[in-house]
């Protein structure tokens, strides 16, 4: 997944389209590298960056078959300076926004790398 988050997400959407009419995205923050986004309860450095997550979510949530998104395991107590949580919220809001109606970049999303 880390080598090509957008490509792997697109592959997953193609497979889902072949077997179901709709799908739900389950986003557990444990998928993120806690060095980049320290909001999970189990610290690790093997996860996705916020930028990698943004690309994959854009693909999943951009599919007409995406019926919704569930966000789990966010621990705001692990947000030491108040930055990661607003960045995650902006990434999720952007992915869920209707195409052509993306929210403007904010101080917490510009840039997400």
């Amino acid at each position: 997944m880390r080598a090509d988050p957008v490509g792997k997400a697109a592959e997953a959407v193609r497979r889902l389209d072949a077997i179901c009419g709709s799908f739900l995205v389950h986003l557990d923050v444990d998928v993120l590298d806690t060095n980049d986004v320290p909001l999970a309860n189990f610290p690790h450095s093997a996860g996705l960056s916020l930028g990698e997550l943004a690309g994959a979510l854009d693909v999943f949530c951009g599919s007409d078959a995406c019926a919704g998104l569930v966000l789990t395991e966010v621990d705001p107590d692990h947000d030491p300076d108040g930055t990661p949580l607003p960045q995650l919220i902006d990434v999720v809001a952007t992915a869920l926004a209707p195409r052509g109606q993306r929210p403007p970049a904010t101080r917490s999303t510009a840039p997400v790398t």
Side-chain angles (χ1 to χ4, degrees), residues 7-17 23 60:
K8 292 295 185 183
E11 179 183 335
V13 168
R14 282 191 299 277
R15 289 178 180 212
L16 288 167
D17 284 345
F23 62 85
F60 283 118

Side-chain angles (χ1 to χ4, degrees), residues 15-89:
R15 289 178 180 212
L16 288 167
D17 284 345
I19 61 171
C20 62
S22 63
F23 62 85
L24 182 68
V25 176
H26 176 96
L27 171 58
D28 186 318
V29 297
D30 287 333
V31 74
L32 294 168
D33 183 328
T34 54
N35 293 314
D36 187 34
V37 186
L39 297 173
N41 288 322
F42 301 102
H44 63 88
S45 60
L48 298 174
S49 71
L50 199 53
E52 291 167 332
L53 173 67
L57 275 184
D58 190 53
V59 172
F60 283 118
C61 296
S63 169
D64 290 337
C66 181
L69 180 138
V70 176
L71 178 61
T72 63
E73 299 296 325
V74 176
D75 190 340
D77 290 338
H78 294 170
D79 186 354
D81 64 2
T83 302
L85 186 57
Q87 287 179 330
L88 177 62
I89 290 167

